[in-house]
Amino acid sequence: SVKGKGKIKVTCLECKTPKYPSKALRRGAEGSPLIKVWINTNGNVVKTIIIKSSKIDSIDKAAMKAALESSFYPIQSDSTLNIEYNLKIK
């Protein structure tokens, strides 16, 4: 749910997961960037920013791309949501 004018339930319609950057994978780099997304009433992501960087540029870019490509079910009013992506080598 999202804080603001009461609580708005935001449900993912098509949530993308970041593609692990091959450069980061080769180096054994891991990270957990926190991305803020702006969602319009149609459920589309219209803007993203990094709130907390993973300190690894390729991982941050992969997270931003995944957030921008995600979509949500329509909502009553434009909202924001924070998404943390955990890119760990398994």
Side-chain angles (χ1 to χ4, degrees), residues 42-73:
N42 294 327
N44 298 315
V45 175
V46 294
K47 178 181 169 184
T48 62
I49 62 165
I50 297 173
I51 294 176
K52 185 184 111 200
S53 173
S54 68
K55 308 277 193 262
I56 300 160
D57 191 50
S58 61
I59 288 178
D60 289 348
K61 285 181 181 176
M64 291 276 285
K65 185 176 190 293
L68 273 170
E69 292 175 353
S70 294
S71 61
F72 299 83
Y73 284 96

Side-chain angles (χ1 to χ4, degrees), residues 5-45:
K5 298 176 185 174
K7 286 193 176 187
I8 298 172
K9 185 174 174 139
V10 178
T11 306
C12 199
L13 178 63
E14 187 177 350
C15 287
K16 301 288 185 174
T17 55
K19 184 177 185 295
Y20 213 111
S22 56
K23 185 177 181 181
L25 190 58
R26 282 192 304 272
R27 291 189 351 221
E30 298 181 333
S32 299
L34 182 63
I35 309 296
K36 182 173 194 162
V37 297
W38 279 258
I39 305 164
N40 67 15
T41 55
N42 294 327
N44 298 315
V45 175

